[in-house]
Structure formats: C-alpha cells, structure tokens
Amino acid sequence: MSDRPARPERSAFKFFRPIATRWMDNDAYGHVNNVHYYSYFDSAVNGWLVEKGLLAITKSPVVGLVVESGCTYFESVAFPDALEAGIAVAHLGRSSVRYRIGIFKQGARAAAAQGHFVHVYVDRKTQTPVEIPTETRAILSELI
Amino acid sequence: MSDRPARPERSAFKFFRPIATRWMDNDAYGHVNNVHYYSYFDSAVNGWLVEKGLLAITKSPVVGLVVESGCTYFESVAFPDALEAGIAVAHLGRSSVRYRIGIFKQGARAAAAQGHFVHVYVDRKTQTPVEIPTETRAILSELI
Amino acid sequence: MSDRPARPERSAFKFFRPIATRWMDNDAYGHVNNVHYYSYFDSAVNGWLVEKGLLAITKSPVVGLVVESGCTYFESVAFPDALEAGIAVAHLGRSSVRYRIGIFKQGARAAAAQGHFVHVYVDRKTQTPVEIPTETRAILSELI
Amino acid sequence: MSDRPARPERSAFKFFRPIATRWMDNDAYGHVNNVHYYSYFDSAVNGWLVEKGLLAITKSPVVGLVVESGCTYFESVAFPDALEAGIAVAHLGRSSVRYRIGIFKQGARAAAAQGHFVHVYVDRKTQTPVEIPTETRAILSELI
C-alpha cells in the first residue's frame, strides 16, 4: 500500500457541501459502508452542477458519465454523523474532468476519506464524447 | 383505492427534520424511487431518537425493530430537491409505537408522501418484545 | 396491531422469482433493513414485466408509477440468504393494479415478509393516468 | 487518462459469482449508477468468504475492513441485466488482501467494469490490524 495517498486537510479543497448520513448507510459492522461514499461524491458534485445551472438532469443535451472512480478510507464514520464534502478539480481535459472529493466529519480538520471520479462529457443521445461545454469549463477552471 | 388517505398538511405533524436527496435516489423515470422514502422515514425517526439520547445504535440493550411499514405517494420529488420529514406518533402501545411521517418539499404546505412504520421494542440479545423504556415513552407521549 | 395480516404460505402466490441479498442490505442490527424489501418488490415485478415484453424501461409510452406500498415483516432475513419473491395480483382496476408479494427464504414454507404496491399506469410524457394496456391486462388477469 | 487499465477478459479471473441487478440500480440516465458496482464487489467477495466458512458476519473475532477501493467503467449495464463477478487476488500481504473484480454481462467475453478493493484484517473489538488468519490465507493464496 505504498501508493496510499496522504490524508488531506480542509485546505486541499475549494468549497464544501453538507452530506447527511442515513440509517441504512451503516452496515453490519456499525459504520457507513464503503459503497455509500461514492453516493456522497455523486450527490455533492452533481448537486453543485445543478445549482450552478450547468446540469438539468432530465434535459441537458450533454451530460457527464462516470468512467473511473476510487476512494481511500482513513477513518470510519457512522449515522447519524453530519458530514461535509470538500470538492476540487484535479484535472480538466478536453472532454473529461477529474474531481477530487474529501469527506469530513462536520468541522474536522482531516478528511475521513478522499475519493475521486472522472466525468466524460457525452452527447446524451449518441453517448459519444464531446468537448466540455464552454460555460462549464469556465466554472470548473476556478476549482483547480 | 377508496382507502387512500387524504393528503396531509404540515399541521398534522409535531416536528420536522431536514432530508437531503441523493443523486442515486432518482430512478430510470427521473424521480425519487418509491423505495427511498422508507429510508427517509428510518433516518428521520432514528436520527431524532439518537439526538434525544434514547438510542445508542450499537449499544442500547433495548431497540426498536420495524414490523410494519407503508407509504402513500401524492406527488413526485427528485434530486436535488431539499425535503423535510414531519413526524408524529399515531399510536403508542405497551411495547410498540406507530410513527406517522410526512415528506414535504422544503416549505411546501401539502405532503408529497405520507408513510408510517411500527417499531416493536425488543431485547437486543433475545430479540423478544419488551415494554417501551420509561424515558422513551415519556417523550413519545408528547408526539401523539 | 389487530389488522396485522396472517403470515402467508407459498400457495398464496402465483409464481416465484429469485432475489439475491447484498452485503449492504444488512444494517447495524445485522439483518436486512426494512427499506430493501421494497427494492425486492420493485425488482421482482418489473423484472418480470420486462421479461414478458410488457415494459421497455426507457421507451414504453405508458408506464406504471407506484402510488402506494406497504410491508409486514414476520421474520428477519440477512445477507447472504438466498430469497424468493412470490407474486400475485390482488386487484386489477381500470388504470391500476395492486400486486401482493411474499418474500421467502429459499425453499421456506412461510413468508418472511409480505408486501404490496399499487401501479397506476400513466402516459410517460403527460404523467396522467391511462387504461392498462390490453396485452398487459390479459397477462395480469391470469395472476389474480 | 493514460493510466486507464486495459479491459480485462474472463481468463483474468479465478472464479465467478452471479450478480442480480435491481430496478433501483438504474439512475436517471437509465443505466446502473456507478455507485452500485461497489456493492457488487462487496457482495461477491463477502458472499464467497461466508460460503467458504471464512467469515461469520456477526461473530468472527477478526474481520476485513475496506481501506481502499476503485473502479474503471468500460461499458454501461442496466437492470434487468444478469451479471457475473469475476474474482482474483491481486496482492496478499501480512494483514491485507487486494481483490480484483471484473463485472461481466452474463456470458460476455470482455468485462463491463473492473474494480478492486483492499481488506485490512482487524480485531473486531479493538479495530487494530492483525495477521490474516491462516485458513483464510491458504484459500486466498489459490486465487493469486
């Protein structure tokens, strides 16, 4: 596990969004199951894209599809913990963007987990890659 | 469907808790799948029980198990809607409590859905029914 | 809880479909969380509708929306239990159908849980109720 | 995305287990949401560990906790697709094991997705790392 990334702090992220845990996030071992962190990532980033007017879930002609994701877990969390997702852009390509997300217990200095995912922008109908829309690119650029 | 309950308003509930939708709550039809409402119910009530000091999820010697649940859906909701769960106690028995929960879009007058579930209190080890603990009963009584 | 239905046996259902539990179905109490049963109901019925050629999830001009659901739990189940869902039609109306579903541990005589849900058929675009399509009605009639 | 792994074939895995998709796995874009693949990984490996007698979920004094996970997505899948998870051990350390998992449409030659996760074995009570139990190590060794 020599390639295990260092545990990031809050300063490593550009902005934060609240994440509410749910009863059923806790698995048989009493902590949030590793799977749900990916739902936190999706919800934090896509919720922000919708708020910024960059995504209309059922209508946008161009949408981001997840082609890669990953997470390193540093400390367990459990319902009913209140969490925060820190978000930054790790790489901005021609048709893809890589987000880096930190999951923090509310107010904690060090992340409980850090993950990433890559969105490839595609034409909704043909599902073939397209350039990231100009307005989206402008806003994503500020998060690098 | 003659037994379909009337759509309740906010005044039908005793207190409210916020519910955050998630990206993956939306199903192939673009709305929150009927299944997730039950997770909202669980999270709202159990989160409140934990806050009130009435439930320690991994330790309480007596816990509530769901033996019945149900929901009537009046209006669709979708991520990233912010929701609220209204909570009331519909029936308080010797070893069981029936909660009534309304799911509202934030600030809406009428519920988007109304559900219920019954908790039977059991001994954690033997899983046999026991009386509702005194302190819990006192607090639940205020929600009838 | 005087209206609690009797625990049904296999003969109360018309056909059966396998249900695979998942690790994360088990919650902090070590059993399948009450929420997931509703996912079993959805998956059993809709999977069958697709197989019968009665539903194309992303294309059918008329689809069934869940307007009511409920479940009574008789016995806990837990991952990695193999389950079966028994299905029957409890009521067939002009634009709605009520399914009754039993969840059985594989090979068990008595159901671990019994639930129901009501599908109202709607025009996919307008989301207004329509008559159940003729072919669907014919097949559903055999399940009463 | 130069480090994107090649799409693996069936021969890259040691054994296979069936995975059943669920209605609610499909998200608003009509395909299985990226999050659920991690639930497939968990369920395939832990289900196999239980069957082999290497894990008793609520009792084992030593259990594997996920400290890292990741997935590369090659092709979308959708409910009601029947899937298979191919499993192999990518690395076997003193207290940790790294699994590699391929998700295949039933009978497909090339994987729709490939993921991995790392289990660190810990004492259930103290949550501190311990050596992988001898019997578990012997069986995992056969999967390298």
Side-chain angles (χ1 to χ4, degrees):
Chain A
M1 295 192 293
S2 57
D3 59 351
R4 191 168 165 90
R7 189 171 176 178
E9 302 201 350
R10 298 180 74 87
S11 57
F13 301 93
K14 296 291 181 178
F15 69 97
F16 290 81
R17 290 177 68 88
I19 297 286
T21 52
R22 295 182 182 171
W23 168 268
M24 77 175 199
D25 291 354
N26 289 4
D27 70 8
Y29 293 161
H31 301 121
V32 169
N33 180 253
N34 66 89
V35 175
H36 297 290
Y37 291 73
Y38 290 94
S39 178
Y40 304 162
F41 303 162
D42 256 12
S43 299
V45 171
N46 286 319
W48 173 77
L49 289 171
V50 170
E51 270 183 27
K52 288 285 180 186
L54 302 173
L55 172 63
I57 299 174
T58 59
K59 292 176 191 165
S60 291
V62 165
V63 296
L65 298 188
V66 174
V67 297
E68 184 193 319
S69 60
C71 188
T72 307
Y73 308 86
F74 301 106
E75 180 191 1
S76 64
V77 299
F79 173 84
D81 286 347
L83 305 176
E84 294 172 277
I87 299 176
V89 166
H91 181 75
L92 185 57
R94 191 173 168 279
S95 64
S96 72
V97 51
R98 182 185 182 100
Y99 293 97
R100 196 164 46 76
I101 302 110
I103 301 297
F104 294 79
K105 289 189 187 176
Q106 202 169 50
R109 193 178 51 82
Q114 177 172 251
H116 76 273
F117 71 84
V118 176
H119 258 168
V120 169
Y121 277 79
V122 300
D123 178 283
R124 191 182 198 114
K125 280 185 191 155
T126 64
Q127 301 273 303
T128 52
V130 297
E131 279 193 47
I132 296 176
T134 311
E135 191 189 352
T136 302
R137 173 177 301 280
I139 292 180
L140 292 178
S141 299
E142 298 167 13
L143 302 182
I144 296 176
Chain B
M1 296 193 292
S2 56
D3 60 351
R4 192 168 165 87
R7 190 171 176 178
E9 303 202 351
R10 297 178 75 87
S11 57
F13 301 93
K14 296 291 180 176
F15 69 98
F16 290 82
R17 291 178 68 87
I19 298 286
T21 52
R22 295 181 181 171
W23 168 268
M24 77 175 198
D25 291 354
N26 289 4
D27 69 9
Y29 294 161
H31 301 120
V32 169
N33 180 253
N34 66 88
V35 175
H36 297 291
Y37 290 74
Y38 290 94
S39 179
Y40 304 162
F41 302 161
D42 256 11
S43 299
V45 171
N46 286 319
W48 172 78
L49 289 171
V50 170
E51 270 183 28
K52 287 286 180 185
L54 302 174
L55 172 63
I57 299 173
T58 59
K59 291 176 193 165
S60 292
V62 165
V63 295
L65 299 188
V66 174
V67 297
E68 184 193 318
S69 60
C71 188
T72 306
Y73 308 86
F74 300 106
E75 180 191 1
S76 64
V77 299
F79 173 84
D81 286 346
L83 306 176
E84 295 172 277
I87 300 176
V89 166
H91 181 74
L92 186 56
R94 192 173 168 278
S95 64
S96 72
V97 51
R98 182 186 182 100
Y99 293 97
R100 196 163 46 75
I101 302 110
I103 301 297
F104 294 80
K105 290 190 186 175
Q106 202 169 50
R109 194 177 50 82
Q114 176 171 253
H116 77 274
F117 70 84
V118 176
H119 259 169
V120 168
Y121 277 80
V122 299
D123 178 284
R124 192 182 198 113
K125 282 185 190 155
T126 64
Q127 302 272 304
T128 50
V130 296
E131 278 193 46
I132 296 175
T134 311
E135 192 188 352
T136 302
R137 173 177 301 278
I139 292 180
L140 292 178
S141 299
E142 297 167 12
L143 302 182
I144 295 176
Chain C
M1 295 193 293
S2 56
D3 60 350
R4 191 169 164 87
R7 189 170 176 178
E9 304 203 348
R10 298 179 73 87
S11 58
F13 301 93
K14 295 292 181 176
F15 69 97
F16 290 82
R17 290 177 68 88
I19 298 286
T21 52
R22 294 181 182 171
W23 169 269
M24 77 175 199
D25 292 353
N26 289 5
D27 69 10
Y29 294 161
H31 300 121
V32 170
N33 179 254
N34 66 88
V35 175
H36 296 291
Y37 291 75
Y38 291 93
S39 178
Y40 303 163
F41 302 162
D42 256 12
S43 299
V45 170
N46 286 319
W48 172 78
L49 289 171
V50 170
E51 271 183 29
K52 288 287 180 184
L54 302 174
L55 172 63
I57 298 173
T58 59
K59 293 176 193 165
S60 292
V62 165
V63 296
L65 298 188
V66 174
V67 296
E68 183 194 319
S69 60
C71 187
T72 306
Y73 309 86
F74 301 106
E75 181 190 1
S76 64
V77 300
F79 173 83
D81 285 346
L83 305 176
E84 296 171 276
I87 299 176
V89 167
H91 180 75
L92 186 57
R94 190 172 168 278
S95 64
S96 72
V97 52
R98 182 185 182 99
Y99 293 96
R100 196 163 47 75
I101 303 110
I103 301 297
F104 295 80
K105 290 190 186 174
Q106 202 169 50
R109 192 178 51 83
Q114 177 173 254
H116 76 274
F117 71 84
V118 176
H119 259 168
V120 168
Y121 277 80
V122 299
D123 178 284
R124 191 182 199 113
K125 282 185 190 155
T126 64
Q127 301 273 305
T128 51
V130 296
E131 279 193 46
I132 296 175
T134 311
E135 190 188 353
T136 302
R137 173 178 300 280
I139 292 180
L140 292 178
S141 300
E142 297 168 12
L143 302 182
I144 296 176
Chain D
M1 296 194 295
S2 57
D3 59 350
R4 193 169 163 88
R7 189 171 176 178
E9 303 201 349
R10 299 179 73 88
S11 57
F13 301 93
K14 295 292 180 176
F15 69 98
F16 290 81
R17 290 178 68 87
I19 298 286
T21 53
R22 294 181 183 171
W23 169 267
M24 75 175 199
D25 291 354
N26 290 3
D27 68 9
Y29 294 161
H31 300 122
V32 170
N33 179 254
N34 65 90
V35 175
H36 297 290
Y37 291 73
Y38 290 93
S39 178
Y40 303 162
F41 302 162
D42 256 12
S43 299
V45 170
N46 285 320
W48 173 78
L49 288 171
V50 170
E51 271 183 27
K52 288 286 179 185
L54 302 173
L55 172 63
I57 298 173
T58 59
K59 292 176 192 167
S60 292
V62 166
V63 296
L65 299 188
V66 174
V67 297
E68 182 193 319
S69 60
C71 188
T72 307
Y73 308 86
F74 301 105
E75 180 191 1
S76 65
V77 299
F79 173 84
D81 285 346
L83 306 175
E84 295 171 277
I87 300 176
V89 167
H91 180 74
L92 185 57
R94 191 173 168 278
S95 64
S96 72
V97 53
R98 182 187 181 98
Y99 293 97
R100 197 163 47 73
I101 303 110
I103 301 297
F104 295 80
K105 289 189 187 175
Q106 202 169 50
R109 193 177 50 82
Q114 177 172 252
H116 76 273
F117 71 84
V118 176
H119 259 168
V120 168
Y121 277 80
V122 300
D123 178 284
R124 191 183 200 114
K125 282 184 191 157
T126 64
Q127 301 272 305
T128 51
V130 296
E131 279 192 46
I132 296 175
T134 312
E135 191 188 353
T136 302
R137 174 177 300 280
I139 292 180
L140 292 178
S141 300
E142 296 168 12
L143 302 183
I144 296 175

